[in-house]
């Protein structure tokens, strides 16, 4: 009697194969045939779950976005996990977006490849936007917890500043990992969060020279 195939498990195997291919050779190598080979399956088995390469890519992108968001929320002082108070909570969240261990390094690499591809592949655009908006919202909530007196406009600016900083730092760490190690990445994040916690809020556009 043939073994019953668990659909969720098989889809997981296929998505994991996509991630391995992306990490090793980039997004351009992803196709139904290549993924089937990586997952040790026949192409027909992959087509049973994903009709096209685009369907497969969208699913893999959604998966990595969900994985990263789950870690960020679990690290939050406001999230589903135990969390950490104040500055430590925000540092813990930001560190989920850095390649500080193998799992995070894989997800960061895959997320970065998909985000860049979304610029020219419309089927990936919705997931790219969802990922960015969700991360910005999570960081915004953490900034609000740390600096409740900030006006909404400054809150948005600070959340986007942190997100841009940590995304750039993560990319830099992937490319220059021999010297930009976990300790240095963590130190940069702590310095950014400390500067946010100590900053004096801007009262108006006029006080900053903005008219």
């Amino acid at each position: 009697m043939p073994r019953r195939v668990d659909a969720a498990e098989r889809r997981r195997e296929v998505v994991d194969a996509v991630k391995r291919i992306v990490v090793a050779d980039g997004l351009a190598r992803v196709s139904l045939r290549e993924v089937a080979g990586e997952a040790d399956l026949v192409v027909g088995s992959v087509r049973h779950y994903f009709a096209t390469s685009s369907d497969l890519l969208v699913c893999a992108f959604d998966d990595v976005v969900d994985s990263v968001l789950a870690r960020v929320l679990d690290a939050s002082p406001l999230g589903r996990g135990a969390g950490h108070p104040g500055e430590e909570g925000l540092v813990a969240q930001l560190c989920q977006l850095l390649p500080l261990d193998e799992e995070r390094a894989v997800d960061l690499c895959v997320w970065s490849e998909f985000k860049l591809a979304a610029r020219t592949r419309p089927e990936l655009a919705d997931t790219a936007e969802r990922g960015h908006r969700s991360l910005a919202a999570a960081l915004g909530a953490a900034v609000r917890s740390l600096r409740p007196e900030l006006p909404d406009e400054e809150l948005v600016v600070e959340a986007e500043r942190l997100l841009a900083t940590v995304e750039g730092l993560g990319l830099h760490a992937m490319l220059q990992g021999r010297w930009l190690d976990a300790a240095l990445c963590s130190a940069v994040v702590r310095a950014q969060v400390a500067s946010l916690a100590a900053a004096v809020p801007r009262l108006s556009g006029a006080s900053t020279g903005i008219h």
Side-chain angles (χ1 to χ4, degrees), residues 121-165:
R121 301 191 67 156
E123 69 270 25
L124 301 176
D126 286 346
T127 303
E129 182 172 358
R130 176 175 73 87
H132 180 83
R133 287 181 175 272
S134 297
L135 280 180
L139 295 181
V143 171
R144 174 68 78 198
S145 178
L146 182 63
R147 295 287 305 279
E149 81 284 1
L150 284 181
D152 289 345
E153 294 81 0
E154 288 190 38
L155 178 73
V156 171
V157 169
E158 293 297 346
E160 291 289 350
R161 178 172 72 92
L162 287 173
L163 185 53
T165 298

Side-chain angles (χ1 to χ4, degrees), residues 3-83:
R3 183 174 70 90
R4 185 174 181 178
V5 177
D6 182 276
E9 179 183 348
R10 181 55 52 82
R11 290 174 69 91
R12 175 79 267 155
E13 292 172 354
V14 172
V15 167
D16 286 346
V18 172
K19 293 168 73 172
R20 290 194 299 271
I21 290 173
V22 171
V23 170
D25 297 308
L27 204 59
R29 194 190 137 207
V30 176
S31 68
L32 294 178
R33 184 174 301 278
E34 291 287 344
V35 171
E38 179 67 29
D40 199 22
L41 298 169
V42 298
V43 175
S45 295
V46 177
R47 285 190 183 277
H48 180 73
Y49 301 99
F50 305 99
T52 67
S53 294
S54 291
D55 293 338
L56 179 55
L57 291 176
V58 170
C59 181
F61 194 11
D62 278 328
D63 181 82
V64 73
V65 166
D66 290 342
S67 176
V68 172
L69 289 176
R71 286 202 302 270
V72 169
L73 291 176
D74 282 341
S76 168
L78 309 173
R80 301 173 302 186

